[in-house]
Amino acid sequence: MPWFVTEFIDNKKRKLSPTTLLNYCHDYIIFFDWLVTENFTTAKRKDIDLATLEILTIREIENFLSCLNQRSIEKLIEKYATAFEKPALTVHSLRHSFATRYHLENNDVPRLKNQLGHSSIQTTMIYTHLTDEEMRKAVNNMDK
């Protein structure tokens, strides 16, 4: 990684979880590989200088973001699922896990509906199923 990325990660170590930091690193790698592929630089990924980033225009950044279409994201998930020996991991399973976790943490169905981009609350209700632990707590609360 270039020095400025390493410095950013080092400064965030105590403030962010290891998973979040790993996600930042993956994002940087994808972005820097795109810079090389699109000929914004002839440097190798670890040697990209800050000046290369400073001359990028908003349109160029938007072009990078538009490269992240549904299929490219699916391919990234497949790649990492294979690498970490998690063949059942898919975009759909990640979305479902996110939605279930969001609901368990926040219990806010209207906001979850917006997060998932659903037009109908009925679709969002799929993610509001009760876990075994929630059912156990409900039964135990009846005894109080």
Side-chain angles (χ1 to χ4, degrees):
M1 293 284 194
W3 67 268
F4 49 90
V5 175
T6 305
E7 186 175 293
F8 172 80
I9 298 296
D10 286 344
N11 288 337
K12 298 291 184 181
K13 278 184 183 172
R14 288 193 165 78
K15 299 174 190 162
L16 301 173
S17 73
T19 304
T20 302
L21 288 172
L22 184 60
N23 287 335
Y24 274 122
C25 290
H26 285 155
D27 292 345
Y28 282 121
I29 288 169
I30 292 166
F31 180 64
F32 290 148
D33 285 348
W34 175 81
L35 288 173
V36 172
T37 302
E38 295 296 315
N39 298 315
F40 285 102
T41 182
T42 55
K44 293 184 178 178
R45 180 193 309 147
K46 66 182 178 75
D47 298 325
I48 293 174
D49 60 349
L50 194 53
T52 301
L53 302 178
E54 290 172 339
I55 62 170
L56 291 173
T57 65
I58 292 174
R59 183 171 298 253
E60 289 164 339
I61 299 298
E62 287 172 346
N63 286 341
F64 165 71
L65 295 173
S66 70
C67 292
L68 296 178
N69 61 31
Q70 184 175 348
R71 183 62 193 139
S72 65
I73 292 170
E74 287 171 356
K75 287 174 77 172
L76 276 172
I77 299 297
E78 288 171 13
K79 173 184 168 184
Y80 288 111
T82 302
F84 289 99
E85 299 177 357
K86 303 283 185 188
L89 188 66
T90 64
V91 172
H92 178 77
S93 64
L94 288 173
R95 179 179 167 86
H96 191 83
S97 296
F98 164 80
T100 301
R101 179 87 185 264
Y102 185 95
H103 175 66
L104 290 173
E105 299 275 333
N106 300 299
N107 197 23
D108 188 341
V109 177
R111 282 201 178 141
L112 177 58
K113 174 186 163 288
N114 291 339
Q115 283 285 334
L116 297 174
H118 292 157
S119 57
S120 167
I121 198 115
Q122 302 308 106
T123 308
T124 309
M125 295 304 287
I126 293 167
Y127 301 101
T128 62
H129 58 272
L130 294 173
T131 64
D132 291 341
E133 183 62 28
E134 287 175 310
M135 288 187 284
R136 190 175 302 113
K137 284 180 183 177
V139 170
N140 288 341
N141 284 340
M142 288 174 34
D143 293 334
K144 293 181 180 179

